[in-house]
Amino acid sequence: MHIVGIGTATPSNRYTKSECLAAFRNSDWFDRLDARAHFVATTVLQRDNGIDARHLAVDALDEVFAIDPDMLASRFLRHAPQLAAQAAQRALAHAGLEPAQIDAVVVSTCTGYLCPGLSGHVVERIGLRRDVRAFDLVGQGCAAALPNLMLGEALLSSPGCEHVLSVCTEVCSAAMYLDNDPGVLISACLFGDGAGAAVLSRRASPHGRCIAWRAGASLMEPAQRSALMFEQRGGMLRNILTRAVPALAADYAQRVLHKVLEPRGLHTGSIGTWVMHAGGRDVLQALEQRLELQLGDLRYSAAMLREYGNLSSAFVYFVLEAALADAAAPGWWWLSSFGAGFSCHGALLEVD
C-alpha cells in the first residue's frame, strides 16, 4: 500500500489559551465549579502546556459553554461532514485523482454519532461514486487513524479496489463536558476540532514522494479501558482522562515499535522521521524518554500540538502533512497512534 495524497482541514476560527481562559471566567460555568476546578483550568491554560491555540467550530467562545445534548449534536452534524469533505478534497487534489477513481472510503470519528453515518455525507459532498464501498468506524478515540489505514490496506488487497479514501474527523467541541473532575477539565483545555484524510493506493504516486506502508501492528489492553475513555452522562459524552495515560502511551508505543522493527533487523535509531500522535505535552515527554529519542525527533508532533491542540484521531494526518511539507529526509518513518481501549497502533513507512 502507498499513501499518495494527504489533506487536512480545521474550522476557520482560532482561539488562544488566554482567550479560552477569559471566556471560562466570564461564563456561568465558572460560578458552578469549585475553587479546585478554577485552579486546574487556570493552571493548564496559563502554563506552557505545549498548546498555544486551538481551532474550534464555534463563532464565539461563549458558545462552548452552552452545553446541552441537542446543541452538541447539532454542532457535530453541522461541522463534521464539512470538515471531513474539505480534508478529503485536499487529499484527492494532492494525489491528483478524481472522486470517481475512489473505490472505497473509510471514515472514523468518536465525537458524535450519525445514522446514516459520516461516510454517506462524504460520498455526497465530494461526489464519490454511488457504488463506492463505504465504512464507518466509531469508538476508537485518538487511536482511530491507524485502524482506519489498516482497513484501507485490507480493502486494497481485494478485487477491484485500486484507491481508498481514509478520513478521520473530530468535532471535539461537540463533545464538551464540564464538572469538577480534573481529568474532565484538562480534556476541555486540550482538544481542538479538525479532520485529516489520506488517499491510499496499490501503486506509488507517479508524482511527488513515494510513501510505502511496509508493516503495521496493534496492541490492546481492555483492562486499562477506564484510563482513557468516553462515558455517557446526561445524554452527553464525558471524557475520562487519568494520570496513567502518559506512561501507558509510552509503554504501548515502545512495545508496538519493537514488535514491528525487531523481526526486520531494525531498531529505534533506524527511524529518521517520527509521525506520532501527541496527546499532550506530558505524553510527548513520556514518549521521548521511553523511546530514548533525540531532542527534536518529535518536532512535527510538538509543532502540530502547539498550533492545533489535540485533534484526536485526525492528529497524525496533520503530523504527516507537516513532515512532508518540511521535506523530511527519506528513509524509514514511524507512524503511530494510541488512545481509548487502551490501544496503540504503529506502522513502518518507507519514504523516498
Side-chain angles (χ1 to χ4, degrees), residues 219-226 248 252 255 341-344:
L219 287 174
M220 179 178 289
E221 181 48 75
Q224 296 289 352
R225 182 183 293 126
S226 60
L248 281 171
Y252 278 75
R255 290 162 62 185
F342 192 89
S343 61
C344 182

Side-chain angles (χ1 to χ4, degrees), residues 47-66:
R47 70 174 182 173
D48 183 7
N49 66 346
I51 299 170
D52 286 343
R54 293 175 286 167
H55 293 249
L56 300 173
V58 293
D59 293 325
L61 277 173
D62 58 356
E63 295 178 30
V64 171
F65 300 99

Side-chain angles (χ1 to χ4, degrees), residues 3-247:
I3 300 173
V4 298
I6 193 81
T8 59
T10 58
S12 57
N13 290 332
R14 178 180 183 269
Y15 301 100
T16 64
K17 287 189 300 185
S18 60
E19 289 172 327
C20 292
L21 179 57
F24 171 56
R25 287 172 169 167
N26 290 329
S27 73
D28 293 340
W29 276 99
F30 190 79
D31 292 331
R32 297 188 210 178
L33 302 180
D34 62 25
R36 184 189 184 204
H38 297 166
F39 174 78
V40 170
T42 300
T43 300
V44 173
L45 291 172
Q46 284 186 333
R47 70 174 182 173
D48 183 7
N49 66 346
I51 299 170
D52 286 343
R54 293 175 286 167
H55 293 249
L56 300 173
V58 293
D59 293 325
L61 277 173
D62 58 356
E63 295 178 30
V64 171
F65 300 99
I67 303 173
D68 69 72
D70 289 344
M71 178 72 74
L72 298 179
S74 175
R75 184 176 299 153
F76 185 83
L77 176 59
R78 177 184 175 189
H79 293 283
Q82 178 182 1
L83 290 169
Q86 288 175 347
Q89 288 168 334
R90 290 165 184 168
L92 283 169
H94 184 213
L97 294 176
E98 297 297 324
Q101 295 176 269
I102 297 297
D103 302 303
V105 57
V106 184
V107 183
S108 298
T109 191
C110 70
T111 48
Y113 177 75
L114 298 178
C115 182
L118 269 171
S119 63
H121 291 267
V122 174
V123 169
E124 178 184 31
R125 285 175 176 255
I126 70 174
L128 298 182
R129 302 195 318 264
R130 292 303 185 262
D131 66 345
V132 70
R133 307 177 200 180
F135 301 86
D136 288 271
L137 302 181
V138 298
Q140 295 177 311
C142 296
L146 270 291
N148 186 307
L149 295 169
M150 290 171 178
L151 177 55
E153 181 187 30
L155 288 166
L156 288 172
S157 68
S158 64
C161 192
E162 296 287 335
H163 305 292
V164 175
L165 178 61
S166 162
V167 184
C168 286
T169 184
E170 304 292 3
V171 185
C172 297
S173 62
M176 176 60 70
Y177 194 100
L178 289 176
D179 62 24
N180 289 314
D181 180 84
V184 169
L185 291 167
I186 292 170
S187 294
C189 298
L190 294 181
F191 285 91
D193 300 341
V199 177
L200 317 175
S201 298
R202 289 187 181 184
R203 289 175 286 275
S205 172
H207 59 273
R209 304 189 72 170
C210 176
I211 308 170
W213 176 291
R214 295 305 186 197
S218 299
L219 287 174
M220 179 178 289
E221 181 48 75
Q224 296 289 352
R225 182 183 293 126
S226 60
L228 180 62
M229 61 180 287
F230 271 132
E231 67 174 7
Q232 288 280 350
R233 186 175 292 189
M236 297 176 288
L237 293 170
R238 179 179 185 268
N239 195 36
I240 295 175
L241 176 64
T242 66
R243 292 184 177 183
V245 168

